[in-house]
Amino acid sequence: MSLNDSIESSVYKKIDLFRYDFGRYAVRSLLAGAYLTVGPIFATVAGNIVDSIAPGTGPLVFALLFGLGFFTILVLGAELATGNMMFFCYGAVQGRCGWLRSLGVLVVNTLLNLVGVVIVAGLLGLSSALSDAGPNHLLFEVVDGKLSKDGPELFVDAIIANFVVNMAFVASLYAKDIVNKFFAVVPTIAIFVGLGLENVIADFSLISTALFSGAELPGSVTPGNVAVAWGLVFLGNLLGGGLLIGGGYGWLNLGRESYRD
């Protein structure tokens, strides 16, 4: 199946599920939030352990392992808002769905992802995974770095981040098997993480887990900073992954049939 046919088929299935079987769409969205909490928190714990052995290497390990959560979402068929930004903008440009309906689905998808994140972050906060976490743990360094950025930085970082995330999602549609999907997704995701960029659902998971950990939080973690960061990152992700990748490929595949993907 061509890229164009794959995305069109995915858009149709997502819209159909949302309209006619919302309960199952909601559960798939909750699962995406859960998967994108377990994966990144594992990456922070592993990175923190490695950094204690070889100082300075923790962030690299964090970046290399971070993509496991995204890979799990793709393989297990969960509904991630930042990936769906690409699909729905593609569908809107192609005339398969309306812009307002697409935006409405994405907002609901994002909120359901957040609920899934909060459930798993709360459980992780009660678990032994972060029982010894102190203010110098990699998780809190990452969260402090995110919430210490100003508004324009957050917005631009979010544009680039979801551009890269959806590079990985588009590449995965070309992959013939699960091994090729792994190598299409995980190393590509490491690009945006290694550059310190912003994905709103991943930010939900990291910040929420820090809040539930019970450890002393960095001074940058305030309700105002969190709300502003999540709002700006959502908009930047919508532009980068939705309009630039999704809208861009949607427009490209309106051209001459011989040049369609």
Side-chain angles (χ1 to χ4, degrees), residues 28 33 51 57-58 83 118 170 178-179 184 192 200 231 235:
R28 288 183 182 274
D51 200 67
T57 61
V118 169
V170 171
I178 194 169
V179 174
F192 101 77
V200 67
L235 294 174

Side-chain angles (χ1 to χ4, degrees), residues 18-252:
F18 187 88
R19 281 182 181 174
Y20 302 112
D21 200 350
F22 180 74
R24 287 182 171 82
Y25 186 91
V27 171
R28 288 183 182 274
S29 298
L30 294 174
L31 288 172
Y35 299 154
L36 203 57
T37 303
V38 173
I41 298 307
F42 166 70
T44 61
V45 171
N48 190 69
I49 291 170
V50 172
D51 200 67
S52 67
I53 299 168
T57 61
L60 177 60
V61 172
F62 172 63
L64 291 174
L65 295 177
F66 197 95
L68 293 174
F70 287 91
F71 175 67
T72 305
I73 287 168
L74 284 171
V75 171
L76 298 183
E79 295 290 342
L80 180 70
T82 47
N84 283 344
M85 289 174 180
M86 181 271 289
F87 286 104
F88 281 104
C89 286
Y90 186 105
V93 168
Q94 290 266 323
R96 308 294 179 185
C97 53
W99 285 100
L100 285 177
R101 180 181 293 276
S102 297
L103 181 60
V105 173
L106 291 171
V107 170
V108 172
N109 195 172
T110 301
L111 294 174
L112 289 167
N113 285 167
L114 176 58
V115 173
V117 165
V118 169
I119 291 169
V120 175
L123 292 172
L124 286 169
L126 296 173
S127 75
S128 61
L130 296 169
S131 60
D132 61 345
N136 294 324
H137 193 284
L138 181 60
L139 172 63
F140 302 107
E141 293 180 8
V142 170
V143 167
D144 186 41
K146 292 178 178 299
L147 295 178
S148 296
K149 295 177 182 179
D150 61 28
E153 284 179 318
L154 285 166
F155 185 67
V156 172
D157 284 359
I159 293 171
I160 303 169
N162 213 32
F163 187 91
V164 174
V165 167
N166 283 286
M167 284 167 46
F169 278 32
V170 171
S172 74
L173 294 173
Y174 283 107
K176 302 298 183 184
D177 55 47
I178 194 169
V179 174
N180 284 321
K181 282 185 184 292
F182 180 89
F183 286 106
V185 172
V186 175
T188 307
I189 295 299
I191 295 172
F192 101 77
V193 181
L195 290 173
L197 305 178
E198 307 297 335
N199 176 281
V200 67
I201 312 302
D203 286 0
F204 286 168
S205 73
L206 294 166
I207 295 170
S208 296
T209 305
L211 290 170
F212 281 113
S213 69
E216 181 182 351
L217 297 172
S220 60
V221 183
T222 66
N225 282 352
V226 171
V228 169
W230 285 355
L232 287 172
V233 172
F234 174 85
L235 294 174
N237 285 171
L238 183 59
L239 176 56
L243 295 177
L244 296 183
I245 292 288
Y249 272 96
W251 177 80
L252 287 171

